[in-house]
Amino acid sequence: MILEGIITTVNEDGSTNISPMGPIVDGETFDRFTLRPFNTSTTYRNLKRVDRGVLHVTDDVLLLAKAAIGPIDPPPDVEVLSPSLHVLRDCCHWFAFTVESIDDDTDRTTIECTVQNRGRVRDFFGFNRAKHAVLEAAILATRLHLIPEQEIRSQLKTLSALVDKTAGASERQAFDLLQAHAEAYWKAS
């Protein structure tokens, strides 16, 4: 199963890198998971350099949207558990992990991870169609260079209807941010 979440890793300067990512997880024990970042990503470079990070489960789709399209300014608050483990202060659950192996023979790497520590911060909000729509739009925003423009426009139109019907302010802001990002990308192309 793929669980959409946020990975924090530590950059060379000690700052926190925040990236959305969908690890392959075992939904029962959650003792191990597999990451599949592109080898051009900051997350990959950080995990290759320092074999530790934190996976966060969150329902904050505005944070997911911001992380999908670039550096977050200002960055969210983190608790520094160690120099290489930064935990988001606003998440539902977090899983500190160690990298067991990296297979980077292709553009999409395979990183096997083992959970070393875990914590719970707050309850999960629950299911909401607008949150789902923003999550899907955030994934599309990371693939603008891979998927034809018309296909993404069609999917965004469908997702927009869900946002219009069921969103709160945060979901609307996140979806608008992602749509503006896509339009700017296409205009610059």
Side-chain angles (χ1 to χ4, degrees):
M1 168 174 69
I2 294 178
L3 172 68
E4 300 299 339
I6 291 179
I7 300 284
T8 56
T9 56
V10 177
N11 298 315
E12 286 190 67
D13 66 1
S15 63
T16 307
N17 178 63
I18 300 169
S19 297
M21 195 163 299
I24 301 166
V25 302
D26 170 1
E28 293 181 24
T29 63
F30 214 93
D31 291 331
R32 302 181 53 76
F33 57 87
T34 304
L35 299 175
R36 301 263 305 142
F38 289 101
N39 63 14
T40 55
S41 72
T42 301
T43 299
Y44 162 75
R45 287 190 306 273
N46 286 346
L47 290 174
K48 183 100 172 168
R49 184 178 45 78
V50 177
D51 64 349
R52 305 176 112 215
V54 181
L55 166 64
H56 302 81
V57 176
T58 185
D59 52 14
D60 183 348
V61 292
L62 182 55
L63 178 61
L64 280 163
K66 288 178 177 180
I69 61 175
I72 303 170
D73 189 29
D77 289 336
V78 295
E79 178 181 351
V80 178
L81 296 183
S82 75
S84 59
L85 296 173
H86 296 189
V87 175
L88 296 172
R89 288 192 188 274
D90 182 22
C91 68
C92 300
H93 299 276
W94 57 267
F95 301 88
F97 64 86
T98 302
V99 171
E100 297 299 324
S101 67
I102 297 178
D103 179 357
D104 53 9
D105 289 339
T106 62
D107 290 345
R108 195 97 189 250
T109 63
T110 300
I111 302 176
E112 299 296 337
C113 305
T114 301
V115 174
Q116 301 297 322
N117 196 1
R118 61 188 79 211
R120 180 185 171 282
V121 177
R122 64 174 173 80
D123 290 337
F124 182 73
F125 172 80
F127 295 109
N128 174 277
R129 294 172 72 198
K131 286 183 182 294
H132 165 73
V134 171
L135 175 63
E136 290 299 322
I139 292 168
L140 290 171
T142 66
R143 289 166 172 71
L144 295 173
H145 63 293
L146 298 173
I147 301 173
E149 179 180 341
Q150 285 311 113
E151 184 178 336
I152 290 179
R153 283 188 183 281
S154 174
Q155 289 186 43
L156 287 175
K157 183 177 179 182
T158 300
L159 295 170
S160 178
L162 297 174
V163 172
D164 290 343
K165 289 178 186 176
T166 65
S170 179
E171 292 82 16
R172 287 183 201 289
Q173 182 183 357
F175 196 78
D176 290 348
L177 181 72
L178 294 167
Q179 283 189 305
H181 173 75
E183 290 298 335
Y185 176 86
W186 293 320
K187 186 176 181 180
S189 296

